[in-house]
Amino acid sequence: MEQTWRWFGPEDAVRLPHIRQTGATGIVTALHHIPYGVVWSIDEIEARKAQIAADPSLGLRWSVVESLPIHESIKIGEGDLTPFFDNYRQSLRNLAQCGILTVCYNFMPVVDWTRTELAYPLPGGGTALRFNMHEYVAFDCFMLQREGAEAEHSPEVIARARAWYERSSEADRRKLLSNIMAGLPGAYDRYDVPGLRLMLDRYRGMDRNRLRENLARFLREVIPTAEEVGIRMCIHPDDPPRSLMGLPRIVSNEDDLAFILGAVDCPANGITLCSGSLGAGPDNNVPAIAQRFASRIWFTHLRNVAKEPDGSFMEADHLGGDTDMVAVVSVLLEEQKRRKEVGAPRWRIPMRPDHGHELLDDVGKPTHPGYPAIGRLKGLAELRGVMTTVAALRNLPL
């Protein structure tokens, strides 16, 4: 597999020479400074490419876009969406003209990946991302005060949430809100509680079927252009794969992925296999999902989570947690072999280590939550060892 690394651009505390030291050669990035719904121009794309390739000795290239974001109006299905679809299609054409042919995106309403703790302490002084169900419920029921929220949670979790809220300070509550908003990358809007309520009001009455249809409409609008210019679109699963704040989530399990791939059944419509996002779903068998959809996996995030009975989970070691990472890697390497044997020109699957622990000298550095250098380097090294061993034992191409 092509070993890649997420880079948030020139302001990222993890610099391009650091990335090369990890052994990764593919860069996964986006033009985070461009607002949602605005065309990515060729000049902007080429400028980012030039930054990545400025030092030829590093041997780095822009391998995957993550993400080309979808304007919220498309998800809601409100107003005249023609300009947003036109702009998205033009961005795809411009990316293809610049030679960047893999585009990761998501369809999560309002918020992106969501955690309640960004620095959960680990033995020895490291930290991890964590989702505490009772803290999320405290936010949903008592800070956001969303109508009907308490009916969606068990009495036991409600009791723990109420206890947390009653003993929390204003600083604790501000921190919880900030943590929940932290999954939105780059310079995008962070909501305060009143602003979040207003955003949720725009989704009032939205159910799974309607949100699914809005996604299917997006796919019908843009996938033909992606197919025409040679781009592989790969949707990222919901993180966590469950409803949040009353918003449906529709990229959470095997049935959801089957619906999405069937909505526009062509190779340009594919998926990002995120073993951590899917792994947070208690009913998801990640190796089985990878096996079923292997031929449409164009990009993969490899990480692991440890789940708890109440719905809480935390980022585990890349080879720890609840998902059999050896089995997942084996499926991906077997799929690469199949692609190579049929003569596919882009047979390698880009992978990146996702959401590393904050370790050693990275503790306290201003990196994006979940994206320190050393924790991801550790994960990449472990995954590289798994890939090398599986490939050798099964005579599979790396």
Side-chain angles (χ1 to χ4, degrees):
M1 286 184 276
E2 179 188 11
Q3 297 173 33
T4 70
W5 190 274
R6 190 167 192 186
W7 182 57
F8 290 94
E11 304 306 314
D12 197 328
V14 182
R15 306 300 186 191
L16 292 171
H18 302 155
I19 294 172
R20 189 62 185 90
Q21 290 177 45
T22 71
T25 55
I27 298 297
V28 177
T29 192
L31 304 181
H32 292 300
H33 59 286
I34 297 179
Y36 289 9
V38 175
V39 172
W40 288 15
S41 71
I42 288 176
D43 287 347
E44 290 277 11
I45 296 166
E46 289 291 353
R48 179 56 55 87
K49 280 183 64 180
Q51 291 169 338
I52 293 168
D55 183 349
S57 71
L58 299 180
L60 301 175
R61 74 181 190 97
W62 190 354
S63 174
V64 178
V65 171
E66 186 179 345
S67 298
L68 181 56
I70 298 170
H71 195 275
E72 208 70 30
S73 293
I74 293 176
K75 299 176 188 178
I76 299 169
E78 66 179 9
D80 180 9
L81 300 180
T82 301
F84 296 124
F85 290 133
D86 286 344
N87 288 354
Y88 205 99
R89 285 188 288 259
Q90 189 58 51
S91 294
L92 292 178
R93 295 187 188 100
N94 293 347
L95 285 165
Q97 186 170 329
C98 297
I100 303 166
L101 301 177
T102 304
V103 174
C104 174
Y105 68 101
N106 75 68
F107 213 77
M108 288 181 260
V110 182
V111 292
D112 207 302
W113 61 264
T114 303
R115 301 292 185 272
T116 63
E117 283 192 79
L118 305 183
Y120 180 79
L122 298 172
T127 70
L129 301 178
R130 181 175 170 85
F131 182 90
N132 288 317
M133 180 59 74
H134 72 279
E135 290 180 342
Y136 159 70
V137 173
F139 177 80
D140 192 27
C141 295
F142 307 124
M143 290 176 58
L144 191 59
Q145 297 179 340
R146 181 174 61 85
E147 183 180 353
E150 292 194 39
E152 299 175 8
H153 307 292
S154 72
E156 293 80 11
V157 172
I158 291 286
R160 290 168 56 211
R162 191 183 303 277
W164 182 93
Y165 181 76
E166 289 175 349
R167 69 173 181 268
S168 65
S169 65
E170 282 301 317
D172 293 331
R173 297 170 193 174
R174 286 195 299 270
K175 183 177 181 181
L176 179 58
L177 172 64
S178 177
N179 290 350
I180 288 172
M181 291 294 109
L184 295 168
Y188 303 132
D189 291 337
R190 264 62 172 177
Y191 304 106
D192 58 13
V193 168
L196 184 55
R197 288 186 186 127
L198 288 174
M199 192 65 206
L200 293 175
D201 281 343
R202 294 175 62 189
Y203 277 89
R204 190 173 296 275
M206 182 72 69
D207 61 16
R208 277 181 54 83
N209 289 337
R210 184 175 160 199
L211 190 61
R212 268 189 166 191
E213 179 48 39
N214 292 346
L215 172 54
R217 179 183 177 187
F218 169 78
L219 296 173
R220 292 192 297 267
E221 291 280 354
V222 305
I223 292 298
T225 298
E227 185 84 357
E228 174 190 335
V229 299
I231 279 183
R232 293 166 170 170
M233 297 283 291
C234 32
I235 194 166
H236 187 284
D238 302 324
D239 185 9
R242 52 158 294 148
S243 171
L244 292 179
M245 294 175 277
L247 298 170
R249 288 197 160 189
I250 56 169
V251 195
S252 293
N253 55 45
E254 185 172 348
D255 288 343
D256 289 341
L257 293 173
F259 171 84
I260 291 163
L261 296 183
V264 179
D265 192 4
C266 73
N269 181 24
I271 65 174
T272 297
L273 182 81
C274 181
S275 57
S277 298
L278 291 169
D283 298 324
N284 286 339
N285 182 327
V286 181
I289 290 172
Q291 185 68 61
R292 177 174 176 183
F293 301 117
S295 65
R296 302 277 281 275
I297 296 171
W298 302 132
F299 182 36
T300 184
H301 298 170
L302 297 180
R303 63 180 176 89
N304 224 322
V305 297
K307 299 185 290 294
E308 297 170 21
D310 70 349
S312 301
F313 63 90
M314 68 173 288
E315 305 283 352
D317 290 330
H318 284 75
L319 301 187
D322 299 331
T323 295
D324 184 344
M325 197 63 70
V326 174
V328 172
V329 168
S330 298
V331 170
L332 297 172
L333 290 176
E334 291 283 0
E335 172 60 18
Q336 281 197 157
K337 179 182 179 182
R338 184 196 67 79
R339 295 178 189 183
K340 187 176 184 182
E341 288 176 346
V342 300
R346 294 153 60 191
W347 57 270
R348 280 195 171 90
I349 299 172
M351 61 75 66
R352 68 172 179 84
D354 201 10
H355 288 191
H357 292 163
E358 193 178 60
L359 303 172
L360 302 173
D361 291 346
D362 273 344
V363 175
K365 284 186 177 179
T367 54
H368 287 262
Y371 291 95
I374 296 171
R376 285 187 290 163
L377 168 60
K378 175 176 177 282
L380 180 58
E382 293 171 345
L383 294 166
R384 185 184 294 131
V386 170
M387 291 187 293
T388 302
T389 301
V390 171
L393 291 174
R394 299 192 182 191
N395 193 29
L396 300 172
L398 278 171

